[in-house]
Amino acid sequence: MLTKNTQVNRDQLEMITLDQLVPENHLVRKIEAAIDFSFIYKLVENMYSS
């Protein structure tokens, strides 16, 4: 509901990181721990400017 007291709520700031959004036992974390994706940098280096 719009009221005159909403100014206080607009001044609030919340910081959230991606690590906070992904649970510790999520499949993405398990894949990241099991596979070394660093080889991708070598495959795509010629697609970026130096």
Side-chain angles (χ1 to χ4, degrees):
M1 177 177 206
L2 297 175
T3 64
K4 293 181 182 179
N5 297 331
T6 58
Q7 179 65 35
V8 175
N9 292 335
R10 283 187 245 147
D11 293 337
Q12 295 177 359
L13 177 67
E14 184 173 359
M15 301 286 288
I16 298 174
T17 64
L18 289 176
D19 281 335
Q20 292 173 311
L21 296 175
V22 181
E24 291 295 324
N25 62 348
H26 194 276
L27 178 62
V28 172
R29 289 191 186 268
K30 293 176 184 177
I31 292 171
E32 182 182 30
I35 301 174
D36 179 15
F37 289 103
S38 62
F39 70 93
I40 294 174
Y41 293 107
K42 186 70 174 166
L43 293 174
V44 299
E45 70 182 353
N46 62 338
M47 297 179 186
Y48 293 90
S49 63
S50 56

